[in-house]
Amino acid sequence: MKLEAVLFAGVAGFFACVTVPYAIWSQDPAGTAAVLIACLMASLVSFFLAVQYKRRGVRPEDRRDGQIYERGGPLDFFPARSPWPAMTALGVALLGAGTVIGLWLFLIGVGVTGAAVCGFVFQYARTDH
């Protein structure tokens, strides 16, 4: 992940170098904000990848002598079925439609999206003590 962190740091550096001249010569506050946010997002990804590299070290695919079998085995837990992605999509659709139609639909979308996000978070949190 070190290579990926350096790559995203380069992207962030590019956007950082472009932001100041763009802000001075373009006189476009929306574009300046977009370039600045692109710099911040690339910096965030670079920071995350650098932290993961420090925690986990070198991966098999980062080494020239790395073998496929070194990455074998279970990677993580992936749920088979979950209603929460569809509920989140419905909530976000209601939020978008509520922005156009009216506040009442937007508030329903807030409730549906909040419930769906809570469902995602607490999906596998069981209190069977």
Side-chain angles (χ1 to χ4, degrees):
M1 284 186 230
K2 185 176 183 180
L3 176 67
E4 291 93 341
V6 171
L7 180 69
F8 274 99
V11 171
F14 169 76
F15 281 121
C17 292
V18 167
T19 300
V20 174
Y22 186 85
I24 293 171
W25 287 315
S26 74
Q27 302 298 319
D28 179 23
T32 303
V35 175
L36 179 65
I37 289 174
C39 173
L40 295 174
M41 287 191 304
S43 300
L44 179 69
V45 172
S46 176
F47 175 73
F48 172 77
L49 291 172
V51 168
Q52 291 302 313
Y53 174 73
K54 278 218 180 264
R55 285 184 184 170
R56 297 183 182 180
V58 179
R59 300 173 298 179
E61 56 263 28
D62 292 336
R63 298 190 325 256
R64 290 206 182 265
D65 63 339
Q67 297 295 319
I68 294 174
Y69 68 85
E70 293 179 271
R71 215 27 153 161
L75 295 177
D76 210 343
F77 170 73
F78 300 101
R81 286 182 245 150
S82 177
W84 303 118
M87 287 294 294
T88 304
L90 175 67
V92 170
L94 287 173
L95 283 171
T99 304
V100 175
I101 295 174
L103 180 63
W104 62 274
L105 190 59
F106 182 81
L107 293 175
I108 292 172
V110 167
V112 171
T113 304
V117 168
C118 287
F120 258 130
V121 171
F122 298 113
Q123 179 167 288
Y124 294 102
R126 303 220 173 146
T127 58
D128 301 347
H129 292 113

